[in-house]
Amino acid sequence: MSTANNEVLQRDELKVHEKEKCPQNVRIVECKHCSREMKSCELAMHLEMCPKMGVSCELKCGKSLCREHIPQHLKQECGMVVETCRLGCGVEKTRDELKIHV
């Protein structure tokens, strides 16, 4: 196997080279959230969409959870989602406010 700078390595040496000796921008790193391996220059973009990375609720309810769980949180749990009163009065309030309203 050869590296980008034409260094010839044995197959078992390649992993060590990728993690320790490769130039910084092409070194292989692992995402600490999802364990996916990628070039170090790709990590920042990956973190912007990593499904396992912890993020705060976009509606600022105070919850932090994995990015992949945000859609379910907004659909079923988040108290900051605005809904219309289910009793038919037409009032629109957050889920938390509707608990008091009803």
Side-chain angles (χ1 to χ4, degrees):
M1 301 258 157
S2 63
T3 63
N5 63 355
N6 295 324
E7 184 180 357
V8 177
L9 300 172
Q10 297 297 319
R11 193 177 302 268
D12 58 336
E13 296 173 319
L14 187 59
K15 282 284 184 200
V16 172
H17 171 83
E18 288 174 336
K19 291 186 185 242
E20 297 174 11
K21 297 178 182 175
C22 253
Q24 203 61 17
N25 64 331
V26 292
R27 185 170 292 160
I28 300 299
V29 296
E30 184 177 283
C31 174
K32 67 180 181 178
H33 305 288
C34 70
S35 302
R36 182 175 161 217
E37 288 187 345
M38 67 204 74
K39 293 178 184 176
S40 61
C41 62
E42 298 169 343
L43 183 60
M45 186 166 36
H46 168 76
L47 290 176
E48 291 293 321
M49 57 189 172
C50 177
K52 301 292 185 187
M53 184 170 172
V55 295
S56 296
C57 173
E58 59 200 53
L59 296 180
K60 309 209 183 313
C61 73
K63 275 251 190 171
S64 291
L65 50 162
C66 291
R67 183 176 277 117
E68 68 185 351
H69 295 138
I70 290 287
Q72 188 70 18
H73 167 72
L74 293 173
K75 185 176 180 181
Q76 294 184 343
E77 303 167 0
C78 182
M80 297 303 289
V81 171
V82 175
E83 294 182 338
T84 304
C85 176
R86 67 179 181 265
L87 298 177
C89 72
V91 170
E92 289 188 348
K93 296 184 177 263
T94 65
R95 284 184 184 142
D96 285 347
E97 292 170 332
L98 282 175
K99 288 177 187 174
I100 299 166
H101 170 74
V102 174

